[in-house]
Amino acid sequence: MGEYEEAISCFDEAIKLEPEHPKVWRWRGISLTSLDEYEEAISCFDEALRLNPEHAQVWNEKGLALHLLKKHEESITCFDESIRLNSEDSDTWHNKSLSLGALEKYEEAISCFDEAIKLDPENSYALKWKGGTLSDQEKYEEAISCFDEAIKLDPKISDSWYSKGFALHSLGKYEEAISCFNEAIRLEPEYTSAWGNKGNALDSLGKYEEAIACYDEAIKLDPEDSVSWYYKGLSLSWLEKYEEAIAC
């Protein structure tokens, strides 16, 4: 974080000397986005676009900042402008998909993911997010195919393994789901949701003691994880440990 703040100080000095330089405003906005200062970043992107309204990448970066603020309709407008200026950028199609998915416009989101993947067939993140959108529609078999492709391209992305595990669990394939959650945890030992969902799969198999151990790990990582507390209580109830269950 210190490096981004230092970079912003340098950009501020550059702006004092040359306030009409769009690249400086752009990179100040990028640094602010990295610091989660999205409103201020958007102001910088607006200034960059005032100076150079035909810069497709700045429209994409402004759209991403708006997406992160959950202003999805506005973000899509920016992504559309970026695509109008440069329709060959896979990342912009991907980012537009994320905003469409957040608005539950799943079919449009999938079309955009497909465009992103066509432009960059090795975009494992677009494949992963396309799979997530398909999961949101309960199209789990199709989702798993996307996750498998994403994993083939980059087996070190813990989210792909986790998402595949979630889809498998939804299909009642609990043993396979556990294998995926295990891989997600191996890659990211503090992945709270992977611990919790591994617990759910174990609970579904009647392995309540093992499930409780997973919920305990999730709770240790995030004591405010109400879902893991709830499911731990259920597993304790199945074991007829009612006093402990009530404490959850």
Side-chain angles (χ1 to χ4, degrees):
M1 186 174 290
E3 290 179 1
Y4 290 120
E5 288 165 344
E6 190 176 348
I8 289 164
S9 295
C10 293
F11 296 138
D12 286 343
E13 287 301 316
I15 287 164
K16 284 180 191 175
L17 295 165
E18 193 174 347
E20 299 292 295
H21 200 313
K23 287 184 180 178
V24 181
W25 285 106
R26 178 197 175 198
W27 281 100
R28 188 174 192 271
I30 291 169
S31 296
L32 286 161
T33 300
S34 299
L35 293 171
D36 300 338
E37 299 286 348
Y38 305 125
E39 295 283 3
E40 196 176 346
I42 289 164
S43 296
C44 292
F45 295 136
D46 281 341
E47 191 63 21
L49 289 167
R50 181 184 68 80
L51 296 163
N52 180 9
E54 300 294 302
H55 198 311
Q57 195 56 38
V58 179
W59 282 107
N60 178 40
E61 288 151 359
K62 179 183 175 181
L64 183 58
L66 286 162
H67 171 78
L68 293 166
L69 286 171
K70 303 186 188 306
K71 297 181 177 181
H72 302 302
E73 297 284 2
E74 293 176 62
S75 71
I76 289 166
T77 300
C78 291
F79 296 136
D80 283 340
E81 184 62 18
S82 180
I83 289 165
R84 184 186 71 78
L85 294 164
N86 177 17
S87 61
E88 301 297 308
D89 184 66
S90 174
D91 287 342
T92 307
W93 285 103
H94 177 204
N95 291 339
K96 181 181 177 182
S97 302
L98 298 180
S99 288
L100 287 164
L103 293 172
E104 299 183 4
K105 296 181 178 181
Y106 297 126
E107 294 299 335
E108 291 178 65
I110 288 167
S111 294
C112 289
F113 282 128
D114 285 340
E115 191 65 30
I117 293 161
K118 183 176 78 175
L119 291 165
D120 181 6
E122 296 190 3
N123 188 336
S124 59
Y125 286 97
L127 283 158
K128 174 180 74 72
W129 280 100
K130 179 183 176 183
T133 302
L134 288 162
S135 280
D136 288 339
Q137 295 177 283
E138 299 183 2
K139 297 179 179 180
Y140 299 118
E141 296 286 1
E142 292 177 64
I144 289 165
S145 294
C146 290
F147 299 136
D148 281 340
E149 191 63 29
I151 288 164
K152 185 168 73 174
L153 290 167
D154 189 348
K156 294 183 179 179
I157 298 176
S158 59
D159 281 350
S160 297
W161 288 102
Y162 168 79
S163 298
K164 181 181 177 182
F166 184 88
L168 286 162
H169 183 274
S170 299
L171 291 172
K173 298 181 178 181
Y174 304 124
E175 296 285 1
E176 292 177 66
I178 289 165
S179 295
C180 291
F181 294 136
N182 282 339
E183 187 61 19
I185 290 164
R186 186 187 70 79
L187 292 165
E188 189 178 339
E190 295 188 357
Y191 199 149
T192 306
S193 296
W195 282 107
N197 279 281
K198 180 183 175 182
N200 292 347
L202 288 162
D203 181 274
S204 296
L205 291 169
K207 298 181 178 181
Y208 303 122
E209 295 285 2
E210 292 177 63
I212 289 164
C214 290
Y215 297 136
D216 283 341
E217 191 65 31
I219 290 162
K220 184 172 75 174
L221 292 166
D222 180 7
E224 295 184 8
D225 180 5
S226 60
V227 175
S228 291
W229 281 109
Y230 168 71
Y231 282 112
K232 180 183 176 182
L234 282 183
S235 290
L236 286 164
S237 294
W238 305 138
L239 292 170
E240 299 183 5
K241 296 183 178 181
Y242 301 118
E243 296 286 349
E244 291 178 63
I246 290 166
C248 292

